[in-house]
């Protein structure tokens, strides 16, 4: 209920308040260094879907090899725009350290791979408190990189017979988890 509006202030009475429901799980996105346009699309979705942390991962077949400070500033604005569009205000933390695959936290990590025999129907991630997800860049992962992921017991998932773009897989994972 608005009582008074001036150039310096608005005086009103709050009639009702609602608490925003936050996802109780901690969800971490490990995003390969894709082309910046694709990164922007994935980061916007991460903002919409209450992803907690975002790490960038450098793989052997990545399109770009490094990110500058102004890229991180732009990425933060993009995730905030995604949060605002979804009317959720839990802004993801974007880590500036670029990880190699070996440095990913493999606890409850799901990665998407064409060679996997597991389908999305075979996994039950909703019971876990902390979840991470990852997929390779557009060119895929090398055999050695897939071995590293399997060595640390990451859960591999195949999304079907079609070849999907990395940005689509990562957007799907952000929404699914």
């Amino acid at each position: 209920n608005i009582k008074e509006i001036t150039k310096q202030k608005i005086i009103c009475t709050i009639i009702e308040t609602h608490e925003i429901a936050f996802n109780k799980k901690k969800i971490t996105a490990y995003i390969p260094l894709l082309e910046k346009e694709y990164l922007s699309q994935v980061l916007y979705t991460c903002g919409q879907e209450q992803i907690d942390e975002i790490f960038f991962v450098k793989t052997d077949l990545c399109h770009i090899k490094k990110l500058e400070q102004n890229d991180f500033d732009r990425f933060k604005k993009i995730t905030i725009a995604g949060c605002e569009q979804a009317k959720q205000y839990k802004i993801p933390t974007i880590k500036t350290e670029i990880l190699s695959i070996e440095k990913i936290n493999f606890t409850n990590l799901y990665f998407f791979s064409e060679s996997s025999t597991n389908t999305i129907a075979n996994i039950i991630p909703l019971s876990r408190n902390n979840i991470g997800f990852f997929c390779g860049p557009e060119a895929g992962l090398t055999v050695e990189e897939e071995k590293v992921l399997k060595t640390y017991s990451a859960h591999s998932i195949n999304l079907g017979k079609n070849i999907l773009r990395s940005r689509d897989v990562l957007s799907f994972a952000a929404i699914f988890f």
Side-chain angles (χ1 to χ4, degrees):
N1 189 8
I2 298 175
K3 295 181 180 186
E4 179 185 345
I5 298 177
T6 67
K7 288 185 179 184
Q8 287 81 25
K9 61 185 173 183
I10 298 175
I11 298 175
C12 63
T13 304
I14 298 174
I15 299 170
E16 188 176 350
T17 62
H18 297 276
E19 194 169 314
I20 296 172
F22 287 115
N23 189 348
K24 292 184 174 130
K25 290 182 278 192
K26 178 181 178 192
I27 302 174
T28 303
Y30 295 96
I31 300 174
L33 294 176
L34 305 172
E35 292 178 23
K36 290 182 184 177
E37 175 188 344
Y38 298 157
L39 282 176
S40 297
Q41 293 169 356
V42 171
L43 292 168
Y44 189 86
T45 304
C46 287
Q48 288 176 310
E49 298 302 325
Q50 297 182 17
I51 301 302
D52 294 288
E53 287 183 318
I54 298 169
F55 287 92
F56 294 102
V57 179
K58 182 179 177 185
T59 63
D60 291 340
L61 302 176
C62 281
H63 290 288
I64 58 176
K65 299 301 178 195
K66 67 177 191 168
L67 297 171
E68 304 295 331
Q69 182 57 46
N70 62 342
D71 293 324
F72 289 102
D73 297 338
R74 188 171 65 82
F75 293 158
K76 183 168 182 159
K77 290 176 185 175
I78 291 167
T79 57
I80 290 171
C83 292
E84 289 173 343
Q85 188 278 326
K87 292 187 172 47
Q88 76 84 15
Y89 302 100
K90 184 177 179 184
I91 300 170
T93 302
I94 300 174
K95 302 294 185 172
T96 56
E97 176 189 7
I98 308 294
L99 302 178
S100 64
I101 285 185
E102 294 82 10
K103 301 242 178 171
I104 292 175
N105 179 355
F106 288 96
T107 306
N108 294 326
L109 178 72
Y110 295 88
F111 79 97
F112 296 87
S113 169
E114 297 169 6
S115 64
S116 177
T117 56
N118 292 324
T119 64
I120 204 75
N122 298 29
I123 65 165
I124 306 170
L126 303 176
S127 64
R128 301 210 160 95
N129 290 333
N130 298 318
I131 294 172
F133 62 86
F134 172 70
C135 83
E138 297 291 325
L141 296 170
T142 63
V143 174
E144 294 81 21
E145 290 170 335
E146 286 227 18
K147 281 183 188 174
V148 168
L149 290 166
K150 290 176 183 172
T151 299
Y152 290 104
S153 301
H155 308 282
S156 65
I157 302 167
N158 185 326
L159 290 178
K161 295 177 184 177
N162 299 329
I163 304 291
L164 300 173
R165 298 193 79 121
S166 295
R167 67 175 182 200
D168 297 330
V169 172
L170 291 164
S171 293
F172 166 79
I175 294 165
F176 179 76
F177 290 115

